[in-house]
Amino acid sequence: MPADRGRAFRDFVALTYAVGKDYPLWALPLRAQLKAVLDTKKHPFYADARLKLFIAYRGSEAVGRIAAIDDGVHNRVHNERTTHFGFFDCKNDMEAASALFAAVENEARALGHTCIRGPFSPSVNDEIGVQIDAFDTPNYVMIPSNPPYYQALVEAQGFEKSVDLYCYEMANGDMKRRLQVSAPQIEQRLGVTVRPMQKAEVDTVALKLLKVHSEAWRKNWYWTPMSEAQFLHLVADLKQIADYDLIYLAETEAAEIVGFTIAIPNINEALIRIRDGRLFPFGLAKLLWHSRPGAIKSMRVLALGVLEDYRGRGIDAVLYDQLYRAGQRKGYLMGEISQILETNRMMNAAARVMGARLYKTHRMYEKSIAA
């Protein structure tokens, strides 16, 4: 049934915690965060997208949920008629999963679409993918986790693999010595300066980073450009948890930004303590205590991008080296580089060269349907 308002919407939100309670290694989102990303009136993604929520009940118990997403920008950029699915959560109940995906398929047919792809929650620039391995590991910030049976639930509906996304993990001390030695030499030879971004310049640099992001990612798998409003919305969210010592810019002598990398503290180390997603009455105190300066010991490399004309020259190695050194100075013990497309040979090679190990995979699915 539809879940856009009332009790059904409340149950849609609560299902995250009903499923997640059996998996103590997961960090679950705050309820306020989940409601914000579902707010079609305020979230800038929905300026050119439509969201329909569905929930499945067994008796009076909510057992599954899903969203059908009509992403207008995606369909125009890629010349497709595709409905995305996202926000999928479900008990181990094949009948419920089938009913949920049938609702998405009906929505797609009503739109005249010929493909369903996902999960996107809600877009390619947000949480994506079904986790298919490494279920004994916690999830890093902005990376989804799910029970092992999700893969079977999705594939039973006729979905096939579209692409895999790789997560690499790296401990303090894993960076290969030869890269640490060569990175400063590469920087000098390139005539490009790599420097940390200052907190005071975030607002002036943000749209320059959007330009680099748009150019660097445009050939990636089903990438869609973010609007200025979407990008600034993301920046505002990241400001709340940012460690500005973990953001580096690569600039030419003319101060043109040609590459950047952003890592963020793994706030999930604090969020994992809040099992019901509520900040009150005790959640806020837990969040503040466990995210106090120096308490978080892991970080996630959220993005690394280099303009195409500057690729293959070692700028990525210099950015990674500077980020690694900063992480050491700040006392971070572990880091995750994610989610790298399996088809991105350059980024996968860079992760391996650094000394990172592939340890987790998320999968994107798609299914063709008759319009």
Side-chain angles (χ1 to χ4, degrees), residues 33 141-142 197-200 202-203 209 234-248 261-268 291-294 296 298-300 302 323 330 332:
Q33 290 177 308
V141 57
M142 298 174 67
M197 186 176 73
Q198 303 302 310
K199 182 177 181 180
V202 172
D203 293 333
L209 295 185
L234 174 61
V235 169
D237 283 346
L238 294 179
K239 280 182 179 180
Q240 300 178 49
I241 60 172
D243 181 340
Y244 292 93
D245 294 328
L246 303 179
I247 304 174
Y248 278 81
T261 186
I262 298 175
I264 52 178
N266 182 24
I267 193 68
N268 280 9
S291 62
R292 68 192 187 280
I296 293 176
S298 59
M299 64 182 188
R300 179 191 166 205
L302 180 67
L323 190 56
K330 300 281 289 190
Y332 292 99

Side-chain angles (χ1 to χ4, degrees), residues 166-186:
Y166 293 154
C167 299
Y168 291 84
E169 195 169 50
M170 189 172 184
N172 189 344
D174 284 349
M175 176 71 83
K176 292 186 178 178
R177 176 65 182 167
R178 63 187 177 92
L179 183 60
Q180 295 184 64
V181 171
S182 63
Q185 299 170 352
I186 294 171

Side-chain angles (χ1 to χ4, degrees), residues 30-45:
L30 295 174
R31 291 181 187 243
Q33 290 177 308
L34 183 52
K35 290 177 180 177
V37 80
L38 293 171
D39 191 334
T40 58
K41 294 182 180 179
K42 295 182 179 179
H43 197 291
F45 169 71

Side-chain angles (χ1 to χ4, degrees), residues 43-55:
H43 197 291
F45 169 71
Y46 302 109
D48 202 354
R50 301 295 176 266
L51 176 76
K52 287 201 173 179
L53 309 181
F54 300 95
I55 193 162

Side-chain angles (χ1 to χ4, degrees), residues 289-341:
W289 175 252
H290 292 289
S291 62
R292 68 192 187 280
I296 293 176
K297 295 300 182 182
S298 59
M299 64 182 188
R300 179 191 166 205
V301 180
L302 180 67
L304 185 146
V306 178
L307 294 180
E308 190 168 8
D309 289 346
Y310 289 84
R311 291 178 192 164
R313 297 164 61 181
I315 293 178
D316 55 341
V318 178
L319 287 166
Y320 274 135
D321 176 66
Q322 294 280 22
L323 190 56
Y324 178 79
R325 293 174 189 270
Q328 283 189 312
R329 290 193 300 270
K330 300 281 289 190
Y332 292 99
L333 303 178
M334 294 293 295
E336 183 183 80
I337 307 167
S338 54
Q339 297 167 304
I340 300 177
L341 290 164

Side-chain angles (χ1 to χ4, degrees), residues 4 27 45 50 77-78 108 126 140 152 158 186 192 204 216 221 230 247-248 271 284 287 309 314 332 334 353 362 368:
D4 299 290
F45 169 71
R50 301 295 176 266
V77 168
H78 298 286
D126 298 287
Y140 277 68
I186 294 171
V192 170
T204 57
W221 175 91
Q230 282 179 264
I247 304 174
Y248 278 81
L271 290 177
L284 181 58
L287 179 62
D309 289 346
Y332 292 99
M334 294 293 295
V353 166
H362 294 82
S368 296

